[in-house]
Amino acid sequence: VRIWDRNSGDCTKVLEGHSDSVMAVAIDSSTVVSGSLDNTVRIWDRNSGDCTKVLEGHSDSVMAVAIDSSTVVSGSLDNTVRIWDRN
């Protein structure tokens, strides 16, 4: 996952950790959430670029993610939607 400065067009961070393609991304002011073909959801600190949590539980690719102040939601090709406590 790459974070880009929308004014300059420069890549400011590269978030590395998934072992397969990233299919979904959601952001808020402090967090990036990504879902991948590796069946995981990762939570990243937007400022540092550090992965703060790996959410495992899907048995197939994660195709959708969403976040709010306390929750991450992920949708997968395993026909499930999971609701995670982001803390």
Side-chain angles (χ1 to χ4, degrees):
V1 175
R2 292 181 183 266
I3 298 176
W4 300 87
D5 182 295
R6 67 179 170 189
N7 295 320
S8 69
D10 295 333
C11 178
T12 59
K13 292 199 177 40
V14 178
L15 310 180
E16 296 183 3
H18 284 292
S19 62
D20 208 334
S21 299
V22 172
M23 303 305 292
V25 174
I27 64 170
D28 68 12
S29 61
S30 63
T31 305
V32 176
V33 176
S34 56
S36 170
L37 296 181
D38 67 8
N39 306 351
T40 68
V41 175
R42 288 184 177 258
I43 301 175
W44 310 84
D45 180 288
R46 187 171 168 177
N47 296 318
S48 70
D50 294 333
C51 180
T52 59
K53 194 175 283 188
V54 178
L55 306 176
E56 298 178 302
H58 285 294
S59 61
D60 206 341
S61 301
V62 177
M63 303 301 287
V65 294
I67 57 174
D68 69 14
S69 61
S70 62
T71 306
V72 172
V73 179
S74 57
S76 169
L77 291 178
D78 66 9
N79 298 317
T80 66
V81 172
R82 292 187 178 259
I83 300 172
W84 313 83
D85 180 346
R86 116 180 210 181
N87 301 315

